[in-house]
Amino acid sequence: PQSLQGARRLAQLIRDLEGQRKARLAEAAAWFEDQGVETTVVSATGRASSQILEHLSPCGADLLLMGKRGSRLTERFSLGSTTRRVLRRSKVPTLVVPRGDPSDAPAEPLRGKRIISATAFSAACLMALDATLELAELLECHVDYVNVFRLPVPFALTAAQWPALLSGGTLEEMEHMGIRDLTDQIGPDRATRCSPSTTVGVSVSEAIRDLAVETDADLVAVPSHSTEREHPPLFGSTARRIVKRSRVPVLVYPVRYLERRFGLPRGEG
């Protein structure tokens, strides 16, 4: 019967996929072992995001590593659905790595030894800076503490007028005040490891992406959200866009994790 043949084909397909999965997991485990990382392979069945999150607590994970692109054709140019779901619910920092071109040479570790820590001057961003500086000490990296001045899209007030833009003097004054505020948040004790920086852009995520390329940064670090609302989103829109558009890995700190790890930021208690 056709139904029996279909069931046999499906069973064979499942066996083939299981074989491919085991081979890829073994290959990945061998790579980690070569890097000196002790590896345990876990294979699970079910919704990928749910299985990943359920495994985090029992294994005591400190970091979750995810690819940015999905396997579906529609996700090759966006943030994959599994990664997006995990970022919404993860209780540990998640490192999202963009997919490289197969023709590219293997990436050198810590090319520029530089991390960008993006800030919106919120308590969450200040805690994220604390976490990033701890990481920078371990990796012997320098941190750029960056704030983006987000400008409105230029538009003509009337058909006969030029688009309204900030004057050079006003922008220079804004940048000066931004550097001063960033320097105050960094503090004198951490100035050797961290530098204040400002940049301008219509889009925060695009400005951070371009700055990471210009400065040869190895990593961008952001909190999962930077709002001060009583009930902030689990994964903010700005953080999502930075992850989606970045050409370098992005480390996302869940704000609940930062609160447990660092408590109230300096000046908040």
Side-chain angles (χ1 to χ4, degrees):
Q2 291 184 353
S3 59
L4 181 59
Q5 292 178 356
R8 288 173 177 172
R9 291 196 187 99
L10 179 59
Q12 183 60 47
L13 176 61
I14 293 174
R15 286 193 293 270
D16 292 342
L17 291 174
E18 284 288 346
Q20 294 175 18
R21 177 167 66 172
K22 289 180 180 179
R24 291 185 178 182
L25 287 172
E27 181 180 354
W31 184 89
F32 279 110
E33 294 286 354
D34 289 342
Q35 311 305 313
V37 179
E38 184 178 347
T39 307
T40 301
V41 176
V42 177
S43 181
T45 302
R47 192 172 194 176
S49 57
S50 298
Q51 293 298 321
I52 291 169
L53 292 165
E54 286 177 9
H55 188 70
L56 284 178
S57 295
C59 72
D62 299 303
L63 178 69
L64 179 60
L65 177 64
M66 299 282 295
K68 181 167 73 171
R69 303 303 188 197
S71 58
R72 302 172 185 172
L73 181 61
T74 55
E75 294 175 348
R76 293 298 178 89
F77 306 100
S78 63
L79 185 61
S81 57
T82 298
T83 302
R84 188 171 61 250
R85 292 189 191 103
V86 168
L87 285 169
R88 287 174 181 167
R89 298 167 53 197
S90 177
K91 296 180 180 179
V92 301
T94 302
L95 180 63
V96 184
V97 181
R99 175 179 294 180
D101 191 323
S103 63
D104 291 344
E108 293 293 331
L110 300 179
R111 300 167 304 161
K113 289 200 171 185
R114 184 171 296 272
I115 301 174
I116 290 177
S117 180
T119 182
F121 295 107
S122 67
C125 292
L126 189 54
M127 290 186 290
L129 175 64
D130 291 337
T132 302
L133 283 168
E134 284 190 354
L135 178 63
E137 288 287 344
L138 293 173
L139 300 178
E140 298 183 351
C141 290
H142 191 80
V143 176
D144 288 331
Y145 193 40
V146 180
N147 176 248
V148 177
F149 292 119
R150 185 177 179 183
L151 302 181
V153 177
F155 62 94
L157 300 180
T158 67
Q161 288 181 317
W162 289 98
L165 295 171
L166 287 178
S167 67
T170 302
L171 183 57
E172 184 177 348
E173 183 179 351
M174 289 174 58
E175 291 176 341
H176 177 74
M177 291 188 297
I179 291 293
R180 181 195 61 196
D181 293 340
L182 292 168
T183 301
D184 290 342
Q185 287 198 343
I186 293 170
D189 296 338
R190 307 190 295 184
T192 56
R193 181 67 68 183
C194 185
S195 300
S197 178
T198 61
T199 187
V200 178
V202 172
S203 165
V204 173
S205 58
E206 291 181 2
I208 293 295
R209 176 200 63 193
D210 295 342
L211 183 65
V213 173
E214 293 169 5
T215 60
D216 201 24
D218 299 284
L219 183 70
V220 173
V222 295
S224 58
H225 59 266
S226 59
T227 62
E228 301 292 357
R229 288 182 288 172
E230 183 179 357
H231 300 290
L234 296 178
F235 186 41
S237 58
T238 299
R240 175 173 53 81
R241 293 189 186 102
I242 289 175
V243 171
K244 178 179 177 181
R245 292 173 176 169
S246 178
R247 298 173 185 172
V248 301
V250 178
L251 181 59
V252 181
Y253 299 105
V255 171
R256 297 293 179 259
Y257 161 85
L258 293 172
E259 290 173 344
R260 292 193 305 271
R261 178 73 176 76
F262 297 98
L264 287 175
R266 300 182 306 279
E268 295 292 324

